Amino acid sequence: MADYPINKIRNFGVIAHIDAGKTTTSERILFYTGISHKIGEVHEGDTVMDWMEQERERGITITAAATTAYWSPTDAKNKAAEGEPRQGREDEKVKLNIIDTPGHIDFTIEVKRSLRVLDGAVVVFDGVAGVEPQSETNWRYADDYKVPRVCFINKLDRLGASFDRSFQSILERLSPHAVKLQIPDGHEDQFKGIVDLLTMEYYTFEGDKGEKIVKGAIPADLADKAKQERAAAIERIVEQDDEAMAEYLDGKEISVERLRKIIRRATIENKIFPVLCGSALKNKGVQLVLDAVAYYLPSPVDISATNAVDQKTGKDMTISPDDNAPFAALAFKTATDPFVGSLTFFRVYSGKLASGSYVLNTRTGQQERISRIVRLHANEREEIKEIYAGNIAATVGLKATKTGDTLCDPSVPVVLEGIDVPEPVISLRAEPKTKADQEKMSLALRKLSDEDPTFRIRSDEETAETIISGMGELHLEIIVDRMKREFGVGLNVGRPQVAYKETISGTAEAEGKYIRQSGGRGQYGHVWLRVEPKERGQGYEFVNAIKGGSIPQEFVTPSEKGVREAMDKGVVAGFPLVDMMVTLYDGSYHEVDSSEVAFKIAASTALQEAAKRAKPILLEPIMKVEIITPEKCLGESTGDLASRRGQILSINDRSPLNLKVIESRVPLSEMFGYATALRSLTEGRGTFNMEFDHYEPVPNNIAQLIVEGKK
């Protein structure tokens, strides 16, 4: 039998822009739920959820950390203390499976794969900055996976904080469906407490760590504003329920319990996003965020059934969270643990799994034995015997399972929807210092690329060097640091290189022939290819248009392999070709001499020739850059951007701090060393955020320099 009722489980993640206070919020959650007995602080480097050395040194989250906790809503505890019999007992308690995700764009895969398996999210915002670039990116990922969200406007104790301004930025930049459920009493050093607009209760947080929640009367100077805000919130809530709307218009009072039920249903359907407030660092409001998770975020049974494909028949099907159904789970993360080896995190969508049983990996077709199942608490593990539908856990020692693989009952093979992995945009050349480091480096690269699908490795055929690629300079810096520390690899690395791509701007045709005659059997391959450009970002498509058997079917697949190999080599400067359609429409064969190898070489030759005729161009990654600079340094900052081929989209005020926010698009190749340049331009006060936006053609004069540099 399941260890906890499935309707009392909440699988949620804490997501936000870097430095909005995700990990600080997560640390308070662990403390208030009793999981940890000391609050770790990011600035002191002793947090539970940021356990890697690299995270503690830099004060940022790099890898998503999972933990399990239990929580009884504050109302239930208060009623239990007041002597009401049912409330506050075990049946009021919810089980929280929590994932704390990174905020830095270089580790965006951690957010994507976490949101793929979570039922809800707490989105944390900086009360000074409001919505920031990574807030928008994470919100978009949550939209893609239809994840219900609760918003927490944090850091209201900071200089320049404004709850109303941050709330307005959510309405304007993320969703018009955000609804205030709380308002703060004061800002900055005057931030004292929180008004709950549903119950019209005033909360303050006392004790060393804010663990004592004190309810009181709303201060007189806040009473009128609270009434106005409550009326606005109730209107937005009852819009979601026709019956409640009719009663409200008739002047009837809607009970708090009923309002919570309406909010819950609307939140699960993504029609409402409740907005809360507080300061995690000053221990104000985090318990009320946990209450909102319990009240409004879905349990596994509240979300729609999961889409899957029956591997035997190829038909679409759905999977429901039922303990008695065949087992099906998605592996969403792999990690190398220094004590137990390979760890595979998975979310169970149906059935149950016991240690010692076998599961089928439907990607590889291999069965793997589940030797141990562990419940994670950051970097600590608690061994359990069984795991049930709706839960998140990890298993030890799976050899062939990677991110996005489906694990299921061998007798009922199904494939769950995988995880989209973004393409890397930056590369480094890496070489071992000694012969002994060569073997260690191969092992380290294999393990790290298994852990992180956005980290790629390839070998440069011309120089025989190893090229490692990732999502940004920080991403590769962390990878290199881990190779040195965890795997003891002595390593030399080159300067970062941009991951350029090539494409074609016209249509062309070409013939490819490979004919060799020797004493015995010869080689004969002959193809005609047509290449056409596709829209940016649409990728590569191969079309088999052979009619009348001019090329037998068994030589079509080798021809496509030849096309792919030629595309990987490129035609302008050796960068991969993308966004094009290749049509194999004619050719010929020899009954004796034709072979797969001959057609592969012929197709490769034809593709290279056709691409050269189709006006090939270079593409470069363009980054979305947000720069925050003092007003007096605005001219220098915009001038510097213009010199970097930057396109300025907008300049906005961030009052009352006399700061300007510049939204721009800048080629990645121009952004190396920008942090240092910006500091010198702005007297050390400027900051910037950068994330990949799209690929764009490189201007001819710069393309010429890139080609010459490559040669």
Side-chain angles (χ1 to χ4, degrees), residues 601-634:
I601 295 170
S604 182
T605 309
L607 188 281
Q608 292 264 331
E609 189 57 42
K612 283 174 187 169
R613 294 176 188 171
K615 301 177 194 156
I617 54 172
L618 272 182
L619 299 173
E620 63 181 342
I622 304 295
M623 310 305 282
K624 182 163 78 172
V625 183
E626 182 191 73
I627 298 135
I628 300 163
T629 176
E631 191 167 6
K632 66 175 186 175
C633 305
L634 180 64

mmCIF file of all heavy atoms in Angstrom, residues 601-634:
data_model
loop_
_atom_site.group_PDB
_atom_site.id
_atom_site.type_symbol
_atom_site.label_atom_id
_atom_site.label_comp_id
_atom_site.label_asym_id
_atom_site.label_seq_id
_atom_site.Cartn_x
_atom_site.Cartn_y
_atom_site.Cartn_z
ATOM 1 N N ILE A 601 29.129 7.814 -50.260
ATOM 2 C CA ILE A 601 30.143 8.765 -50.740
ATOM 3 C C ILE A 601 29.563 9.648 -51.846
ATOM 4 O O ILE A 601 29.783 10.861 -51.888
ATOM 5 C CB ILE A 601 31.402 8.007 -51.230
ATOM 6 C CG1 ILE A 601 32.070 7.281 -50.045
ATOM 7 C CG2 ILE A 601 32.382 8.961 -51.899
ATOM 8 C CD1 ILE A 601 33.156 6.313 -50.439
ATOM 9 N N ALA A 602 28.780 9.051 -52.748
ATOM 10 C CA ALA A 602 28.185 9.815 -53.858
ATOM 11 C C ALA A 602 27.245 10.893 -53.321
ATOM 12 O O ALA A 602 27.270 12.049 -53.783
ATOM 13 C CB ALA A 602 27.439 8.865 -54.794
ATOM 14 N N ALA A 603 26.422 10.529 -52.336
ATOM 15 C CA ALA A 603 25.458 11.491 -51.766
ATOM 16 C C ALA A 603 26.193 12.604 -51.033
ATOM 17 O O ALA A 603 25.800 13.777 -51.099
ATOM 18 C CB ALA A 603 24.499 10.772 -50.826
ATOM 19 N N SER A 604 27.271 12.251 -50.331
ATOM 20 C CA SER A 604 28.055 13.242 -49.603
ATOM 21 C C SER A 604 28.662 14.260 -50.576
ATOM 22 O O SER A 604 28.604 15.469 -50.360
ATOM 23 C CB SER A 604 29.154 12.529 -48.811
ATOM 24 O OG SER A 604 29.900 13.438 -48.070
ATOM 25 N N THR A 605 29.200 13.754 -51.687
ATOM 26 C CA THR A 605 29.791 14.628 -52.707
ATOM 27 C C THR A 605 28.728 15.542 -53.318
ATOM 28 O O THR A 605 28.943 16.742 -53.511
ATOM 29 C CB THR A 605 30.431 13.760 -53.820
ATOM 30 O OG1 THR A 605 31.298 12.804 -53.223
ATOM 31 C CG2 THR A 605 31.206 14.618 -54.808
ATOM 32 N N ALA A 606 27.561 14.960 -53.647
ATOM 33 C CA ALA A 606 26.479 15.728 -54.272
ATOM 34 C C ALA A 606 25.985 16.836 -53.340
ATOM 35 O O ALA A 606 25.721 17.961 -53.778
ATOM 36 C CB ALA A 606 25.326 14.798 -54.647
ATOM 37 N N LEU A 607 25.870 16.507 -52.042
ATOM 38 C CA LEU A 607 25.374 17.510 -51.073
ATOM 39 C C LEU A 607 26.351 18.690 -50.991
ATOM 40 O O LEU A 607 25.944 19.852 -51.024
ATOM 41 C CB LEU A 607 25.181 16.848 -49.708
ATOM 42 C CG LEU A 607 24.489 17.633 -48.578
ATOM 43 C CD1 LEU A 607 25.401 18.629 -47.902
ATOM 44 C CD2 LEU A 607 23.208 18.329 -49.049
ATOM 45 N N GLN A 608 27.631 18.382 -50.898
ATOM 46 C CA GLN A 608 28.639 19.445 -50.813
ATOM 47 C C GLN A 608 28.564 20.354 -52.046
ATOM 48 O O GLN A 608 28.582 21.583 -51.939
ATOM 49 C CB GLN A 608 30.047 18.828 -50.716
ATOM 50 C CG GLN A 608 30.302 18.089 -49.415
ATOM 51 C CD GLN A 608 31.007 18.964 -48.389
ATOM 52 O OE1 GLN A 608 31.749 19.857 -48.723
ATOM 53 N NE2 GLN A 608 30.742 18.709 -47.128
ATOM 54 N N GLU A 609 28.441 19.736 -53.205
ATOM 55 C CA GLU A 609 28.400 20.498 -54.455
ATOM 56 C C GLU A 609 27.125 21.343 -54.548
ATOM 57 O O GLU A 609 27.164 22.529 -54.898
ATOM 58 C CB GLU A 609 28.488 19.523 -55.646
ATOM 59 C CG GLU A 609 28.670 20.186 -56.996
ATOM 60 C CD GLU A 609 29.908 21.076 -57.058
ATOM 61 O OE1 GLU A 609 30.969 20.681 -56.544
ATOM 62 O OE2 GLU A 609 29.780 22.194 -57.608
ATOM 63 N N ALA A 610 25.979 20.736 -54.194
ATOM 64 C CA ALA A 610 24.696 21.451 -54.268
ATOM 65 C C ALA A 610 24.676 22.625 -53.288
ATOM 66 O O ALA A 610 24.219 23.725 -53.621
ATOM 67 C CB ALA A 610 23.541 20.496 -53.975
ATOM 68 N N ALA A 611 25.191 22.395 -52.072
ATOM 69 C CA ALA A 611 25.189 23.455 -51.051
ATOM 70 C C ALA A 611 26.065 24.628 -51.493
ATOM 71 O O ALA A 611 25.721 25.792 -51.276
ATOM 72 C CB ALA A 611 25.667 22.905 -49.718
ATOM 73 N N LYS A 612 27.192 24.334 -52.158
ATOM 74 C CA LYS A 612 28.072 25.411 -52.636
ATOM 75 C C LYS A 612 27.367 26.261 -53.697
ATOM 76 O O LYS A 612 27.592 27.467 -53.798
ATOM 77 C CB LYS A 612 29.360 24.821 -53.212
ATOM 78 C CG LYS A 612 30.344 24.367 -52.131
ATOM 79 C CD LYS A 612 31.532 23.654 -52.742
ATOM 80 C CE LYS A 612 32.417 23.063 -51.649
ATOM 81 N NZ LYS A 612 33.430 22.144 -52.192
ATOM 82 N N ARG A 613 26.501 25.624 -54.501
ATOM 83 C CA ARG A 613 25.787 26.359 -55.558
ATOM 84 C C ARG A 613 24.577 27.126 -55.013
ATOM 85 O O ARG A 613 24.032 27.984 -55.689
ATOM 86 C CB ARG A 613 25.287 25.375 -56.624
ATOM 87 C CG ARG A 613 26.391 24.688 -57.408
ATOM 88 C CD ARG A 613 25.789 23.674 -58.358
ATOM 89 N NE ARG A 613 26.796 22.843 -58.998
ATOM 90 C CZ ARG A 613 26.533 21.774 -59.734
ATOM 91 N NH1 ARG A 613 25.265 21.423 -59.933
ATOM 92 N NH2 ARG A 613 27.498 21.070 -60.275
ATOM 93 N N ALA A 614 24.122 26.772 -53.808
ATOM 94 C CA ALA A 614 22.858 27.325 -53.275
ATOM 95 C C ALA A 614 23.084 28.544 -52.389
ATOM 96 O O ALA A 614 22.347 28.772 -51.444
ATOM 97 C CB ALA A 614 22.106 26.235 -52.510
ATOM 98 N N LYS A 615 24.112 29.330 -52.690
ATOM 99 C CA LYS A 615 24.421 30.563 -51.945
ATOM 100 C C LYS A 615 24.491 30.303 -50.442
ATOM 101 O O LYS A 615 23.629 30.755 -49.685
ATOM 102 C CB LYS A 615 23.369 31.635 -52.225
ATOM 103 C CG LYS A 615 23.253 31.994 -53.693
ATOM 104 C CD LYS A 615 22.135 32.999 -53.885
ATOM 105 C CE LYS A 615 21.772 33.131 -55.344
ATOM 106 N NZ LYS A 615 20.412 33.606 -55.550
ATOM 107 N N PRO A 616 25.514 29.552 -49.984
ATOM 108 C CA PRO A 616 25.618 29.261 -48.545
ATOM 109 C C PRO A 616 25.981 30.515 -47.744
ATOM 110 O O PRO A 616 26.707 31.388 -48.236
ATOM 111 C CB PRO A 616 26.741 28.218 -48.473
ATOM 112 C CG PRO A 616 27.567 28.455 -49.698
ATOM 113 C CD PRO A 616 26.624 28.954 -50.757
ATOM 114 N N ILE A 617 25.465 30.595 -46.543
ATOM 115 C CA ILE A 617 25.771 31.724 -45.646
ATOM 116 C C ILE A 617 26.067 31.200 -44.243
ATOM 117 O O ILE A 617 25.650 30.094 -43.888
ATOM 118 C CB ILE A 617 24.605 32.745 -45.580
ATOM 119 C CG1 ILE A 617 23.286 32.035 -45.211
ATOM 120 C CG2 ILE A 617 24.470 33.522 -46.860
ATOM 121 C CD1 ILE A 617 22.124 32.980 -44.944
ATOM 122 N N LEU A 618 26.769 32.033 -43.459
ATOM 123 C CA LEU A 618 27.051 31.698 -42.056
ATOM 124 C C LEU A 618 25.948 32.267 -41.167
ATOM 125 O O LEU A 618 25.431 33.355 -41.424
ATOM 126 C CB LEU A 618 28.378 32.313 -41.617
ATOM 127 C CG LEU A 618 29.661 31.509 -41.837
ATOM 128 C CD1 LEU A 618 30.837 32.299 -41.290
ATOM 129 C CD2 LEU A 618 29.602 30.158 -41.164
ATOM 130 N N LEU A 619 25.602 31.534 -40.118
ATOM 131 C CA LEU A 619 24.639 32.008 -39.117
ATOM 132 C C LEU A 619 25.350 32.126 -37.777
ATOM 133 O O LEU A 619 26.210 31.300 -37.450
ATOM 134 C CB LEU A 619 23.481 31.021 -38.970
ATOM 135 C CG LEU A 619 22.616 30.748 -40.199
ATOM 136 C CD1 LEU A 619 21.643 29.610 -39.899
ATOM 137 C CD2 LEU A 619 21.850 31.990 -40.610
ATOM 138 N N GLU A 620 24.974 33.131 -36.981
ATOM 139 C CA GLU A 620 25.578 33.286 -35.654
ATOM 140 C C GLU A 620 24.482 33.368 -34.593
ATOM 141 O O GLU A 620 23.376 33.850 -34.866
ATOM 142 C CB GLU A 620 26.463 34.534 -35.587
ATOM 143 C CG GLU A 620 25.719 35.838 -35.786
ATOM 144 C CD GLU A 620 26.646 37.043 -35.748
ATOM 145 O OE1 GLU A 620 27.772 36.925 -35.244
ATOM 146 O OE2 GLU A 620 26.228 38.114 -36.229
ATOM 147 N N PRO A 621 24.771 32.900 -33.361
ATOM 148 C CA PRO A 621 23.776 33.000 -32.293
ATOM 149 C C PRO A 621 23.623 34.440 -31.815
ATOM 150 O O PRO A 621 24.616 35.119 -31.547
ATOM 151 C CB PRO A 621 24.326 32.103 -31.181
ATOM 152 C CG PRO A 621 25.766 31.897 -31.502
ATOM 153 C CD PRO A 621 25.974 32.176 -32.954
ATOM 154 N N ILE A 622 22.381 34.919 -31.755
ATOM 155 C CA ILE A 622 22.069 36.259 -31.248
ATOM 156 C C ILE A 622 21.494 36.091 -29.845
ATOM 157 O O ILE A 622 20.600 35.269 -29.621
ATOM 158 C CB ILE A 622 21.040 36.969 -32.160
ATOM 159 C CG1 ILE A 622 21.555 37.023 -33.605
ATOM 160 C CG2 ILE A 622 20.740 38.374 -31.630
ATOM 161 C CD1 ILE A 622 22.790 37.845 -33.836
ATOM 162 N N MET A 623 22.014 36.866 -28.893
ATOM 163 C CA MET A 623 21.602 36.750 -27.503
ATOM 164 C C MET A 623 20.636 37.873 -27.127
ATOM 165 O O MET A 623 20.754 39.002 -27.612
ATOM 166 C CB MET A 623 22.822 36.801 -26.573
ATOM 167 C CG MET A 623 23.948 35.868 -26.950
ATOM 168 S SD MET A 623 23.466 34.129 -27.098
ATOM 169 C CE MET A 623 23.404 33.670 -25.371
ATOM 170 N N LYS A 624 19.684 37.533 -26.263
ATOM 171 C CA LYS A 624 18.811 38.556 -25.682
ATOM 172 C C LYS A 624 19.541 39.070 -24.438
ATOM 173 O O LYS A 624 19.811 38.304 -23.517
ATOM 174 C CB LYS A 624 17.462 37.936 -25.316
ATOM 175 C CG LYS A 624 16.481 38.943 -24.759
ATOM 176 C CD LYS A 624 15.058 38.407 -24.793
ATOM 177 C CE LYS A 624 14.799 37.430 -23.677
ATOM 178 N NZ LYS A 624 13.395 37.029 -23.576
ATOM 179 N N VAL A 625 19.885 40.362 -24.430
ATOM 180 C CA VAL A 625 20.692 40.924 -23.340
ATOM 181 C C VAL A 625 19.908 42.041 -22.654
ATOM 182 O O VAL A 625 19.396 42.942 -23.321
ATOM 183 C CB VAL A 625 22.040 41.476 -23.877
ATOM 184 C CG1 VAL A 625 22.901 41.977 -22.729
ATOM 185 C CG2 VAL A 625 22.785 40.410 -24.670
ATOM 186 N N GLU A 626 19.793 41.948 -21.332
ATOM 187 C CA GLU A 626 19.176 43.017 -20.545
ATOM 188 C C GLU A 626 20.272 43.630 -19.674
ATOM 189 O O GLU A 626 20.902 42.927 -18.887
ATOM 190 C CB GLU A 626 18.053 42.473 -19.662
ATOM 191 C CG GLU A 626 17.356 43.580 -18.879
ATOM 192 C CD GLU A 626 16.418 43.061 -17.793
ATOM 193 O OE1 GLU A 626 16.922 42.570 -16.760
ATOM 194 O OE2 GLU A 626 15.205 43.151 -17.978
ATOM 195 N N ILE A 627 20.499 44.937 -19.841
ATOM 196 C CA ILE A 627 21.549 45.625 -19.086
ATOM 197 C C ILE A 627 20.894 46.610 -18.128
ATOM 198 O O ILE A 627 19.999 47.367 -18.520
ATOM 199 C CB ILE A 627 22.498 46.385 -20.042
ATOM 200 C CG1 ILE A 627 23.197 45.388 -20.967
ATOM 201 C CG2 ILE A 627 23.542 47.177 -19.282
ATOM 202 C CD1 ILE A 627 23.241 45.778 -22.371
ATOM 203 N N ILE A 628 21.322 46.566 -16.861
ATOM 204 C CA ILE A 628 20.825 47.512 -15.852
ATOM 205 C C ILE A 628 21.986 48.436 -15.505
ATOM 206 O O ILE A 628 23.041 47.980 -15.043
ATOM 207 C CB ILE A 628 20.316 46.762 -14.608
ATOM 208 C CG1 ILE A 628 19.180 45.823 -15.013
ATOM 209 C CG2 ILE A 628 19.827 47.740 -13.546
ATOM 210 C CD1 ILE A 628 18.858 44.761 -14.013
ATOM 211 N N THR A 629 21.800 49.733 -15.764
ATOM 212 C CA THR A 629 22.898 50.679 -15.607
ATOM 213 C C THR A 629 22.398 51.957 -14.932
ATOM 214 O O THR A 629 21.234 52.332 -15.107
ATOM 215 C CB THR A 629 23.524 51.007 -16.993
ATOM 216 O OG1 THR A 629 24.530 51.988 -16.850
ATOM 217 C CG2 THR A 629 22.480 51.528 -17.973
ATOM 218 N N PRO A 630 23.246 52.638 -14.148
ATOM 219 C CA PRO A 630 22.836 53.936 -13.598
ATOM 220 C C PRO A 630 22.515 54.910 -14.731
ATOM 221 O O PRO A 630 23.120 54.849 -15.806
ATOM 222 C CB PRO A 630 24.067 54.391 -12.804
ATOM 223 C CG PRO A 630 24.872 53.157 -12.576
ATOM 224 C CD PRO A 630 24.591 52.247 -13.718
ATOM 225 N N GLU A 631 21.586 55.823 -14.478
ATOM 226 C CA GLU A 631 21.124 56.746 -15.526
ATOM 227 C C GLU A 631 22.277 57.555 -16.120
ATOM 228 O O GLU A 631 22.350 57.767 -17.330
ATOM 229 C CB GLU A 631 20.065 57.692 -14.937
ATOM 230 C CG GLU A 631 19.347 58.500 -15.991
ATOM 231 C CD GLU A 631 18.106 59.180 -15.442
ATOM 232 O OE1 GLU A 631 17.870 59.118 -14.213
ATOM 233 O OE2 GLU A 631 17.381 59.770 -16.241
ATOM 234 N N LYS A 632 23.247 57.975 -15.287
ATOM 235 C CA LYS A 632 24.332 58.826 -15.785
ATOM 236 C C LYS A 632 25.300 58.059 -16.703
ATOM 237 O O LYS A 632 26.077 58.674 -17.430
ATOM 238 C CB LYS A 632 25.092 59.456 -14.618
ATOM 239 C CG LYS A 632 25.856 58.481 -13.747
ATOM 240 C CD LYS A 632 26.655 59.249 -12.699
ATOM 241 C CE LYS A 632 27.546 58.303 -11.911
ATOM 242 N NZ LYS A 632 28.412 59.022 -10.969
ATOM 243 N N CYS A 633 25.228 56.706 -16.648
ATOM 244 C CA CYS A 633 26.124 55.899 -17.497
ATOM 245 C C CYS A 633 25.404 55.356 -18.731
ATOM 246 O O CYS A 633 25.947 54.509 -19.456
ATOM 247 C CB CYS A 633 26.705 54.722 -16.709
ATOM 248 S SG CYS A 633 27.539 55.204 -15.195
ATOM 249 N N LEU A 634 24.179 55.845 -18.975
ATOM 250 C CA LEU A 634 23.376 55.297 -20.070
ATOM 251 C C LEU A 634 24.038 55.509 -21.424
ATOM 252 O O LEU A 634 24.101 54.596 -22.257
ATOM 253 C CB LEU A 634 21.971 55.929 -20.055
ATOM 254 C CG LEU A 634 21.005 55.453 -21.150
ATOM 255 C CD1 LEU A 634 20.692 53.972 -20.976
ATOM 256 C CD2 LEU A 634 19.711 56.250 -21.117
#
